[in-house]
Amino acid sequence: MAFQDFDLISERRKAERRKKLQRRIAIAVVIILILLIAVGAAVVYFVVMKKDDGHKKSGTKSKTESSAAKSAEKSVRTLCHGTDFEETCERTLSKTVEEDASAAKKPKELLRVSMVATESEIDKAVKKSGDVKGDTLQKKAAIKDCADLLQDAKDDLDAAIASMKGDDIGKVSSHADDLHNWLSAVITYQDTCVDGFPDGEEKTAMEKTLKTVKELGSNSLAIVSQLASVISTFESPKRRLLAGGSPEWMNDEQRRMLKADIPEHPNVTVAKDGSGKFRTINAALKALPATYKGRYVIFIKEGIYDETVLMTKKMVNITMCGEGSQKTIITGKKNFVDGVTTYQSATFAVLGEGFMAQSIGFQNTAGAEKRQAVALRVESDKSLFLNCRMEGYQNTLYVHTHRQFYRGCYITGTIDFIFGNAAAIFQNCEMVVRKPLAKQQNTVTAQGRTDKRQTTGIVLQNCQILADDHLVPVKAKFKSYLGRPWKEFSRTIVMETEIGDLIDPEGWTPWSGDFALKTLYYAEFQNTGPGSTLLKRVKWPGYQGAIKIDEATRYTVVPFIQGDTWVKALDCPVRLGLTS
């Protein structure tokens, strides 16, 4: 029996060898056929191309070539028809299809070309901006701001363009959400540059200089919006969530550390009393390692730190933990009246991606008389603020650009004290309105969207809007509103929020005359409290009133700021959808 089994095994092995040999022969035949087809195609292509060359030399175009050119032109016109600046779009993209008609069949390639053209125009604008002369402190500061802001715009364009490089243009490293995010910021940086100048010839000159840049940036954003269904299939970013909801670049110890108010093992400690490695926050930032894998945690002990802090774009994945928002306080008093631009007045400014602050207070103590005086300016994409406190009067919190999330924070001020053009969501936060100067009115928000396709807006969810102790006894003397439209397409949503009786029954107030009243988007959803009654709300065309649940869901953490991939990753308490 054993020998019979051996014979069977031998026969089976011979059969397997025969099958392998047959497969190899078949593969070889297929390869030879492919090579023959390729060679034949190359010969045909060479003959056709030579023939085409002959036609070109004789000054005639083939019918095929002419038809391809017309088809390419039609494709460009179709793509540009969905933009706000069609002539600029066609002029930019036509150059590409004239050189390569096949490019018209690759919409993503045309998008890349549009972004490259935008970047090129920024370079030209930077050179032209040197002709703008500043004869006052404010104008000089505005010129300097423009140089920084236009570089920020270039950086975001670089990120967008880099995501579309490669022989296979369909393989890019970002979702459409990221492209929307970058291009929305590119437009905002240009707006901020212009806003820094007082009304006059310098401001007009800068607007003229940036005209083409803004048109190209808007067109790029429009093309992304048209192609969103295709671009959303692009490969995801390399940084992904683990099954437990935390990023793969964060170890167990770091995850545990971020759950506590006081980290067990921070990378460095800052203490005014000398008990830490550094006495100032800036000293700790100056000593940051050039390269660091993972999240770098800075623990700031109790104390008042009177210093202006700028966290640059190179400072990524930084967490700052304090001992409490009224114990660890970063303070300053730069302001507009003293000749500083609103942009530069921030006590604390953060640009580096992935920033997190926990249990820290940010102040600007310039006072109401000094007008614009920012406590905190945020340009950091995927930035998070947990149990923090922002104190000021006018323009307390500048949510400038990119995606931001605030949880359990206390924000106080008077005029437009939450303003900017980021995609910012506030959950379980307190917006506390202070007593303003005589004849002033209070506005909680002033959102600055300038392009209808920018994926930006301010969302207050499950928050409280209250009067502070000094305003309570005199609140009848001052009008207070949920917001006003700083820019043409201003967008603010207040939902599931308790609104105190300090808010005027009209709810919202104009910026100037009928500016933006038709184009803004203001909405409310299932709010409570005496100030939430909608009966006497404004009747503007852009005011949505009480929106339905499907519409409100669009402005929750997952669809609006893609927070399921980064807010949860930092173990921050978060509601991904609606409360009810």
Side-chain angles (χ1 to χ4, degrees), residues 38-291:
V39 171
V43 171
V44 172
Y45 177 77
F46 178 76
V47 171
V48 170
M49 288 302 293
K50 291 293 285 184
K51 186 177 180 180
D52 285 346
D53 287 343
H55 285 168
K56 289 177 183 177
K57 289 177 182 178
S58 63
T60 61
K61 288 187 176 181
S62 68
K63 291 182 179 179
T64 302
E65 187 179 26
S66 177
S67 176
K70 288 180 180 179
S71 177
E73 290 175 7
K74 185 178 179 180
S75 296
V76 167
R77 285 197 301 271
T78 301
L79 189 65
C80 290
H81 183 67
T83 67
D84 290 341
F85 305 98
E86 290 186 48
E87 185 179 339
T88 301
C89 179
E90 290 182 18
R91 185 174 66 249
T92 303
L93 301 186
S94 293
K95 294 177 184 178
T96 299
V97 297
E98 283 174 8
E99 297 172 0
D100 179 11
S102 66
K105 298 178 182 179
K106 306 171 186 176
K108 290 190 287 294
E109 172 64 13
L110 294 180
L111 169 60
R112 190 189 69 80
V113 169
S114 180
M115 292 189 294
V116 170
T118 307
E119 188 169 36
S120 177
E121 284 297 323
I122 288 177
D123 287 333
K124 294 178 184 177
V126 170
K127 292 179 182 178
K128 289 181 181 178
S129 66
D131 297 333
V132 179
K133 305 300 180 184
D135 56 3
T136 67
L137 193 62
Q138 184 183 355
K139 291 176 185 177
K140 290 177 181 178
I143 292 170
K144 182 182 181 304
D145 284 353
C146 281
D148 295 336
L149 289 160
L150 293 178
Q151 182 58 54
D152 289 339
K154 282 192 62 176
D155 290 343
D156 275 11
L157 278 169
D158 283 340
I161 293 167
S163 73
M164 306 191 74
K165 283 182 178 178
D167 295 333
D168 183 357
I169 199 66
K171 291 183 178 180
V172 298
S173 61
S174 298
H175 295 295
D177 294 320
D178 294 312
L179 289 169
H180 277 120
N181 171 57
W182 287 319
L183 294 174
S184 293
V186 168
I187 295 172
T188 302
Y189 289 131
Q190 297 168 59
D191 293 331
T192 307
C193 164
V194 173
D195 286 342
F197 290 91
D199 291 339
E201 60 182 63
E202 291 86 2
K203 186 170 188 174
T204 301
M206 186 57 71
E207 285 177 328
K208 185 177 180 180
T209 297
L210 293 175
K211 180 178 180 294
T212 304
V213 178
K214 190 165 185 178
E215 290 179 358
L216 287 168
S218 176
N219 288 344
S220 297
L221 189 59
I223 294 170
V224 169
S225 297
Q226 292 183 68
L227 304 178
S229 60
V230 176
I231 297 173
S232 64
T233 64
F234 293 170
E235 67 180 51
S236 300
K238 293 181 179 180
R239 185 169 289 172
R240 301 176 184 272
L241 291 177
L242 299 177
S246 294
E248 59 188 12
W249 41 265
M250 191 181 275
N251 60 39
D252 292 336
E253 183 179 353
Q254 288 173 318
R255 281 190 283 271
R256 285 195 303 272
M257 186 188 308
L258 292 174
K259 289 181 178 180
D261 283 342
I262 301 176
E264 294 179 11
H265 304 290
N267 295 85
V268 295
T269 297
V270 177
K272 282 188 70 71
D273 61 9
S275 60
K277 186 173 182 180
F278 302 101
R279 288 181 177 271
T280 68
I281 297 164
N282 278 311
L285 294 177
K286 189 176 181 180
L288 284 174
T291 57

Side-chain angles (χ1 to χ4, degrees), residues 348-500:
F348 190 102
V350 54
L351 284 69
E353 182 178 345
F355 176 75
M356 178 179 179
Q358 183 173 351
S359 304
I360 296 175
F362 303 91
Q363 289 182 346
N364 191 310
T365 60
E369 297 83 0
K370 295 292 188 175
R371 298 173 61 185
Q372 296 95 325
V374 177
L376 173 65
R377 186 183 87 234
V378 185
E379 299 172 34
S380 166
D381 191 24
K382 301 178 183 177
S383 53
L384 190 154
F385 294 81
L386 175 62
N387 299 334
C388 290
R389 188 180 183 97
M390 299 81 173
E391 295 183 70
Y393 283 87
Q394 183 173 348
N395 296 156
T396 302
L397 173 58
Y398 195 171
V399 289
H400 190 209
T401 53
H402 298 124
R403 292 164 287 196
Q404 308 174 16
F405 182 71
Y406 299 79
R407 175 81 180 199
C409 293
Y410 180 102
I411 305 127
T412 184
T414 54
I415 301 171
D416 308 335
F417 64 91
I418 301 173
F419 77 111
N421 195 25
I425 292 182
F426 297 80
Q427 271 190 8
N428 295 50
C429 294
E430 289 184 49
M431 286 72 188
V432 182
V433 182
R434 306 179 85 164
K435 179 183 174 182
L437 297 177
K439 298 182 180 180
Q440 285 186 337
Q441 63 182 21
N442 293 314
T443 42
V444 177
T445 66
Q447 207 281 329
R449 193 168 64 133
T450 60
D451 190 294
K452 61 188 175 184
R453 299 179 185 86
Q454 286 178 300
T455 52
T456 55
I458 292 173
V459 180
L460 312 184
Q461 182 185 12
N462 200 33
C463 295
Q464 290 182 301
I465 300 174
L466 309 167
D468 84 347
D469 292 342
H470 297 288
L471 178 61
V472 169
V474 293
K475 61 187 176 186
K477 296 180 180 180
F478 300 95
K479 295 262 189 179
S480 296
Y481 299 93
L482 296 173
R484 59 177 181 158
W486 181 26
K487 301 294 183 180
E488 188 176 2
F489 293 95
S490 180
R491 179 162 62 183
T492 302
I493 300 91
V494 182
M495 56 190 189
E496 303 177 322
T497 289
E498 179 186 342
I499 304 175

Side-chain angles (χ1 to χ4, degrees), residues 9-24:
I9 292 171
S10 298
E11 288 299 320
R12 191 160 59 246
R13 286 177 177 172
K14 289 178 181 178
E16 289 174 354
R17 284 196 292 270
R18 282 197 298 272
K19 287 181 180 179
K20 286 181 179 179
L21 180 61
Q22 289 170 355
R23 280 199 299 270
R24 288 172 181 170

